[in-house]
Amino acid sequence: MDDNNPTRRLSSRSIAAGDPTGWFEQLYAEAERGEAVVPWDRDLPHSLLTEWSGRSGVNGAARSAVVIGCGFGRDAEHLARLGFRTVAFDISPTAVRTARGRHPDSPVRYETADLLDPPPAWLGRFDLVLESMNVQALPVELRDRAIAAVGRLVAPGGTLLVIAAGRAEQEEVEGPPWPLTRAEVNGFAAGPLVPVRIEEIVDPAGARRWRAEFRRPE
């Protein structure tokens, strides 16, 4: 275990203690105290999200969106600017409190919630569901459950957008994160969801990323 890597240090301890998601709050709390840095803390929304919304000409007027594992809110604020009535949630109360503090005048509704046990009122509610880089932070034994939970948030006629780091089927990595294989990305097309477009994007350094769009028929 690398004690200089806070995500691996905290996740290893949390998983060993039987609490595989507890490390998120521990990391955000350490960051609030100035003892760690949240590695995904960025000012701008994810580039694969902004490229997708620009290419698709997305207009969120009179539509709802939810951002899973919102962190400090960068992607949620982008969707709100596109006109979506946006709910953004994170399992970490510290992350949610910080997001509210960073965006005091935001129309986004920031909530503390667990993807694996979401509020029943959220099921099948949202016209756009954004899952960006969260499932890959969960150990393999939680993947199927998390992927299914993501899909259950999509409303009839709605869209699921998945953004994730990628890896080959037999590639072994020391996480978190544990990047997703093509089979895992395909797994989001479960129940009523059908794939619209699945893109594998490889940068000049050879790093793989997925951007996958799914739709739930009316």
Side-chain angles (χ1 to χ4, degrees), residues 45-69:
H46 199 291
S47 61
L48 294 187
L49 170 62
T50 56
E51 290 171 9
W52 175 82
S53 62
R55 179 183 71 195
S56 304
V58 173
N59 182 352
R63 302 177 67 206
S64 60
V66 64
V67 178
I68 297 166

Side-chain angles (χ1 to χ4, degrees):
M1 180 178 63
D2 183 1
D3 284 338
N4 293 319
N5 184 319
T7 59
R8 291 179 182 171
R9 169 175 54 84
L10 294 172
S11 67
S12 295
R13 294 176 182 174
S14 188
I15 291 170
D19 183 12
T21 61
W23 67 273
F24 293 104
E25 170 60 13
Q26 296 169 25
L27 175 62
Y28 283 111
E30 284 194 4
E32 186 176 52
R33 296 192 299 268
E35 299 170 0
V37 174
V38 176
W40 50 85
D41 182 12
R42 302 286 188 276
D43 292 331
L44 298 176
H46 199 291
S47 61
L48 294 187
L49 170 62
T50 56
E51 290 171 9
W52 175 82
S53 62
R55 179 183 71 195
S56 304
V58 173
N59 182 352
R63 302 177 67 206
S64 60
V66 64
V67 178
I68 297 166
C70 64
F72 296 141
R74 61 176 183 147
D75 292 336
E77 295 299 318
H78 176 72
L79 294 183
R81 287 191 292 271
L82 294 176
F84 286 97
R85 299 186 309 274
T86 305
V87 174
F89 72 92
D90 204 286
I91 198 170
S92 164
T94 300
V96 171
R97 183 175 64 251
T98 303
R100 290 172 179 162
R102 288 192 181 186
H103 310 288
D105 301 317
S106 173
V108 176
R109 198 176 94 206
Y110 288 102
E111 301 283 354
T112 302
D114 184 352
L115 170 63
L116 301 178
D117 186 23
W122 289 4
L123 301 181
R125 172 184 167 182
F126 297 99
D127 299 307
L128 175 63
V129 175
L130 175 63
E131 155 46 27
S132 179
M133 317 293 279
N134 293 290
V135 170
Q136 68 183 41
L138 299 175
V140 172
E141 57 267 24
L142 291 179
R143 290 285 175 87
D144 288 347
R145 184 179 168 194
I147 288 170
V150 170
R152 286 197 292 269
L153 299 174
V154 184
T159 295
L160 165 63
L161 182 66
V162 176
I163 296 171
R167 65 180 174 89
E169 293 292 339
Q170 304 303 321
E171 181 182 354
E172 295 186 3
V173 294
E174 181 183 0
W178 295 274
L180 305 189
T181 65
R182 176 62 185 253
E184 288 173 321
V185 174
N186 290 344
F188 284 94
L193 292 175
V194 295
V196 175
R197 183 174 185 176
I198 298 177
E199 302 171 87
E200 184 180 27
I201 300 162
V202 182
D203 69 19
R208 303 182 182 191
R209 296 182 293 174
W210 298 108
R211 178 169 56 197
E213 182 179 348
F214 303 86
R215 185 166 178 81
R216 179 177 175 180
E218 297 278 1

